Amino acid sequence: MARQQSVLVLLPLLFLLAACGGTRGVAEFAAYSEAYAAQQRQGDAVLDAFAVAERRLILRESGTSGIIEPFDPNKAAYYVDGVDGPYAAGLRATLSALGGYNATLLGLANGEAADALAGRAAGILRDLGSAGGILTAGLGPAGAVAAPATKDALAGAIGIAETIFGGLAAADARNRFRAELAAAHPVMKDILAGLRGATPAMFRVFERSRIDPATSADTASGLTPDQETALEQDRRLLAGWVLLLDSTARAMDAAVAAATADGPAIRFTELADQATELRVLAETVRATRTR
């Protein structure tokens, strides 16, 4: 499965620092980057578990008729272990676009030429297009469980971001990248919020995947005690991710303030504090998940 290798957002400060040759705030942003990397690993764990649930749901419901199911090419991803189904793939493509945004900011900070930055923007556009296409198509067979809610949470922001990065893919001036990438930050933050808003729909996929007709229990939920325990673990997994997404949003706000406000030393202190909060929370969530 795909992995994001960069933090969610390095944000405008680094390229502003690069533009003026300063170094203030670099340590704070490095701490934020490390903290987000820890949070990203938990996000990967959520999507790994979600991909398993999506596959389990579709294969189980496909086999309830008692007859051999014909081969369905639209379900090909479900027949191969280790490959995301459409629902998980759409969420992962969204995260990949956020990672590409970060890489483009890093490139700007490091002095990359406009054509290299345009290539990065084209990669972001491809990821956004993939995510948007999967959302439009209804997130595949598992989308029948919760597609409208996930689409509502993400589609609008992804569409706006596609417009921004569609223009940047053909840009030929670094100054334009500096302005447009800064302007894109609120939209990318909306995509982060959209992932948070998609978690109730994701939980419904987890829940449906836990209901096995062969072991249906005489309970209100239809789950056996073991299945209910497993579902509560799914709930805690999503809950930990939501807390981390919320903490990331606060750290992003501090980063924007550090990049734009007067008296930046105070803002850098706030960013350092938020980065520490995010890192500690990520460690706590990881410890809870692995117990």
Side-chain angles (χ1 to χ4, degrees):
M1 296 181 182
R3 288 290 186 273
Q4 283 64 50
Q5 298 179 348
S6 58
V7 302
L8 179 64
V9 180
L10 193 54
L11 301 177
L13 177 62
L14 283 184
F15 57 77
L16 290 176
L17 289 172
C20 64
T23 58
R24 296 184 68 187
V26 171
E28 288 82 356
F29 269 85
Y32 170 72
S33 297
E34 292 172 3
Y36 185 80
Q39 187 271 117
Q40 179 66 54
R41 288 190 288 272
Q42 302 312 309
D44 284 336
V46 170
L47 290 185
D48 289 348
F50 183 76
V52 171
E54 180 183 358
R55 176 178 292 105
R56 183 170 57 232
L57 170 63
I58 296 306
L59 294 183
R60 178 176 292 158
E61 295 196 348
S62 298
T64 56
S65 62
I67 62 174
I68 296 176
E69 182 188 18
F71 179 80
D72 183 350
N74 293 322
K75 297 179 181 178
Y78 299 122
Y79 303 140
V80 181
D81 290 340
V83 176
D84 283 343
Y87 206 147
L91 296 174
R92 242 186 250 279
T94 303
L95 286 176
S96 182
L98 291 164
Y101 176 61
N102 168 71
T104 306
L105 292 174
L106 281 170
L108 186 63
N110 291 331
E112 284 188 2
D115 57 348
L117 295 172
R120 293 185 183 279
I124 298 170
L125 187 62
R126 284 192 296 271
D127 285 330
L128 291 169
S130 176
I134 293 171
L135 286 168
T136 300
L139 296 167
V145 177
T150 301
K151 182 177 180 180
D152 291 345
L154 287 167
I158 286 176
I160 295 171
E162 282 188 277
T163 300
I164 294 173
F165 289 101
L168 282 179
D172 59 1
R174 283 176 51 82
N175 285 342
R176 181 176 174 190
F177 278 97
R178 181 170 291 109
E180 292 291 338
L181 289 174
H185 169 257
V187 178
M188 304 310 278
K189 187 177 176 183
D190 285 345
I191 292 176
L192 174 64
L195 290 173
R196 184 189 196 279
T199 53
M202 293 172 67
F203 183 75
R204 288 196 288 277
V205 173
F206 276 117
E207 182 180 16
R208 282 278 295 274
S209 78
R210 294 294 181 188
I211 299 175
D212 185 351
T215 60
S216 181
D218 186 19
T219 62
S221 66
L223 298 173
T224 66
D226 286 346
Q227 290 166 345
E228 288 182 344
T229 297
L231 182 60
E232 286 308 305
Q233 292 174 341
D234 298 333
R235 187 192 302 274
R236 286 194 293 272
L237 186 67
L238 283 175
W241 194 33
V242 167
L243 293 176
L244 286 168
L245 292 173
D246 289 346
S247 183
T248 299
R250 291 191 294 272
M252 288 172 65
D253 289 342
V256 171
T260 60
D262 294 331
I266 297 175
R267 300 299 185 179
F268 289 150
T269 299
E270 173 66 14
L271 177 58
D273 290 344
Q274 291 293 343
T276 299
E277 177 186 311
L278 180 59
R279 177 181 55 78
V280 171
L281 180 59
E283 293 171 353
T284 300
V285 170
R286 181 188 61 81
T288 301
R289 179 173 62 84
T290 55
R291 276 208 295 258

